[in-house]
Amino acid sequence: MSKPHAIIVGAGFTGVATAHDLALRGFDVTVIERGDICNGTSGRTHGLLHCGGRYAVKDQESAIECIDENLLLRKIVPQAIEPNGGMFIALNESDLQYGEEFIAGCEACHIPLEEITAKKALQLEPNINPKLLTAFLVPDGTFDPLRLALAFAATAKQNGATFRTYTEAKALIQDGKGAIVGVSVLDRASNKTMEIRGDIVVNATGAWAGEITEMAGASVPVKPTPGVMVAYDQRFVQRAINRLNHPGDGDIVLPQRRMAVVGTTSFEISDLDYVPVFENHVNLMLERGAELIPGIRNARVRGKYMATRPLIGGGMGRSSARTFKCYDHKETDNLDGLVTITGGKATTLRAMAEKTADMVCEKIGIHAPCATKDVLLLSYRQYYQPN
Ligand SMILES: Cc1cc2nc3c(=O)[nH]c(=O)nc-3n(C[C@H](O)[C@H](O)[C@H](O)COP(=O)(O)OP(=O)(O)OC[C@H]3O[C@@H](n4cnc5c(N)ncnc54)[C@H](O)[C@@H]3O)c2cc1C
């Protein structure tokens, strides 16, 4: 019997993780990506392997997803992760008050927490603001975005998945009954259009998910919400430093290789393919980042960049949940053959893929349990090895 064929549109974290999961479950997988791997949001994140602490007060569903997946990713893809930990620091009375909700939230979400004195925090991280009042250690980490995605893609490729990069989905192909049976694509290298047919199409285009569903008159409630990040030329800290308060602008500073990255902001846009780096956002990162690490004020900027979160569900901007959702368009739009996965975080890529692959298997009518919790991923280098 021939294998069922899944076409995945989008090779960000969600697309590559879904390719890996479906390949392990015995699918023939084709991934279509209009740029290269991590062409979209996934190529421009802080790289914070969230422990969930940031969401433990107001968004506990996301917080639990983060801590569970954080622990799993450390096991299956250690080569892309620096398990350096994180620290939440209080700088004023309001931060201290938030600390009480934070402790209760972390307990409710089973996030390990250790309160330390300001003196101990400064011994561990001499460059943080010396006026801090208290600090908490948490199991955050740092990941290398490209290596993380390539490790999933390399393993999917070894299990038979095909990656067609520089190939843009232009239209969804429907059969006589209206069901989706493939994707019409433009090969951007040859400038030729062709059809790729399959048993199911997975829309993993993140913030662009609405553009794909629109091709067939369907919709998804995704809210593209960009944010800025600024990289400075010094690794001021070894851990991810978070402000101990409700998530806000510029309240994370993260070590990435020899740099420190400060992020981020949150706003809405209309043109997904043109998100400028606003200078006032860059200035805000300097102001807010320097509250956590004063030395940032004198550091040289190495890069300023924007990326767009694919947020779903109710609320606006910061009040939007960071969880993810998988949509069967047969149920939402009476359109068979199409599934959309969007929302979520880089940290939850594996869980997002599991949920999507479960839905795909159910729709195709095959029983194939998820194996991704136990399969160690190949090195990112192997993605570029010839088959
Ligand atoms: C500022 C910012 C900071 C963040 N920091 C973190 C962090 O520190 N930790 C964390 O866990 N999460 C973080 N996130 C969230 C995380 O980066 C995203 O949730 C994740 O990258 C989304 O991945 P994705 O694969 O769903 O989407 P994307 O990475 O955007 O992938 C979608 C892909 O679809 C492709 N595509 C679109 N249209 C088409 C088409 N027509 N044909 C073919 N391909 C198409 C795009 O080129 C793109 O590559 C951050 C997000 C932002 C915005």
Side-chain angles (χ1 to χ4, degrees):
M1 211 179 87
S2 66
K3 293 176 168 186
H5 181 202
I7 303 167
I8 299 171
V9 187
F13 293 132
T14 312
V16 295
T18 307
H20 168 55
D21 192 318
L22 285 171
L24 280 178
R25 296 196 206 206
F27 278 72
D28 191 7
V29 176
T30 305
V31 181
I32 295 165
E33 166 56 57
R34 69 178 176 179
D36 209 330
I37 306 274
C38 283
N39 177 59
T41 307
S42 303
R44 284 160 289 168
T45 83
H46 299 100
L48 174 58
L49 183 72
H50 285 274
C51 71
R54 187 167 172 81
Y55 307 115
V57 172
K58 282 269 172 67
D59 187 3
Q60 296 195 339
E61 188 182 1
S62 306
I64 292 167
E65 286 164 4
C66 284
I67 183 64
D68 290 349
E69 293 302 312
N70 170 317
L71 299 176
L72 267 169
L73 289 177
R74 286 165 191 258
K75 248 184 19 190
I76 65 169
V77 62
Q79 70 274 27
I81 290 169
E82 199 184 333
N84 43 359
M87 192 188 278
F88 280 74
I89 64 174
L91 298 177
N92 60 25
E93 241 348 273
S94 148
D95 295 353
L96 281 180
Q97 269 173 22
Y98 178 80
E100 288 165 28
E101 292 176 80
F102 179 72
I103 294 170
C106 286
E107 259 172 32
C109 300
H110 59 83
I111 300 166
L113 199 63
E114 185 192 345
E115 184 163 13
I116 55 171
T117 59
K119 188 174 165 209
K120 172 87 197 257
L122 281 162
Q123 276 166 2
L124 293 173
E125 296 290 356
N127 287 323
I128 58 176
N129 190 333
K131 293 187 183 139
L132 87 157
L133 301 171
T134 191
F136 292 90
L137 294 176
V138 293
D140 277 339
T142 309
F143 62 82
D144 178 309
L146 195 54
R147 290 180 180 181
L148 178 65
L150 288 178
F152 276 90
T155 317
K157 217 172 135 191
Q158 194 194 46
N159 291 318
T162 303
F163 286 81
R164 299 188 66 126
T165 50
Y166 299 98
T167 302
E168 182 163 6
K170 287 293 198 186
L172 297 173
I173 305 167
Q174 291 177 264
D175 68 9
K177 293 182 193 144
I180 305 298
V181 291
V183 186
S184 171
V185 301
L186 172 70
D187 179 328
R188 295 173 78 178
S190 65
N191 208 24
K192 288 205 172 98
T193 307
M194 66 191 80
E195 289 190 349
I196 301 175
R197 293 193 174 244
D199 300 291
I200 187 98
V201 174
V202 177
N203 173 16
T205 53
W208 290 268
E211 292 185 358
I212 301 295
T213 53
E214 242 175 55
M215 291 174 181
S219 62
V220 275
V222 61
K223 270 195 307 252
T225 312
V228 71
M229 285 151 288
V230 182
Y232 296 91
D233 72 347
Q234 206 179 316
R235 187 174 162 112
F236 289 97
V237 282
Q238 299 309 318
R239 293 162 185 76
I241 307 299
N242 304 259
R243 183 77 182 250
L244 182 68
N245 215 315
H246 292 288
D249 291 342
D251 58 1
I252 301 176
V253 183
L254 202 74
Q256 274 287 2
R257 300 192 187 183
R258 297 177 65 164
M259 294 173 290
V261 176
V262 183
T264 175
T265 49
S266 177
F267 60 103
E268 298 202 9
I269 38 152
S270 49
D271 184 353
L272 258 174
D273 292 315
Y274 178 65
V275 187
V277 177
F278 297 113
E279 212 44 43
N280 59 332
H281 288 219
V282 173
N283 295 338
L284 184 63
M285 291 308 97
L286 177 65
E287 288 308 314
R288 298 284 289 155
E291 285 176 31
L292 294 169
I293 296 163
I296 280 179
R297 217 172 264 295
N298 302 317
R300 196 164 62 88
V301 172
R302 282 288 304 276
K304 324 165 189 183
Y305 47 105
M306 284 283 197
T308 306
R309 302 170 188 85
L311 299 186
I312 51 152
M316 302 285 277
R318 297 249 176 245
S319 70
S320 243
R322 264 35 177 185
T323 188
F324 58 87
K325 199 157 178 201
C326 195
Y327 301 87
D328 176 354
H329 291 282
K330 174 75 180 153
E331 282 172 19
T332 55
D333 305 272
N334 198 24
L335 182 68
D336 214 355
L338 179 67
V339 160
T340 292
I341 170 71
T342 191
K345 312 279 310 160
T347 305
T348 58
L349 80 173
R350 193 216 60 84
M352 294 168 73
E354 177 176 351
K355 199 66 160 273
T356 311
D358 284 349
M359 185 179 275
V360 166
C361 286
E362 202 184 316
K363 283 184 70 63
I364 302 271
I366 63 170
H367 176 70
C370 177
T372 57
K373 283 184 185 168
D374 301 311
V375 173
L376 302 188
L377 300 183
L378 294 178
S379 159
Y380 64 92
R381 290 190 185 90
Q382 283 184 243
Y383 176 75
Y384 293 107
Q385 302 291 318
N387 281 330

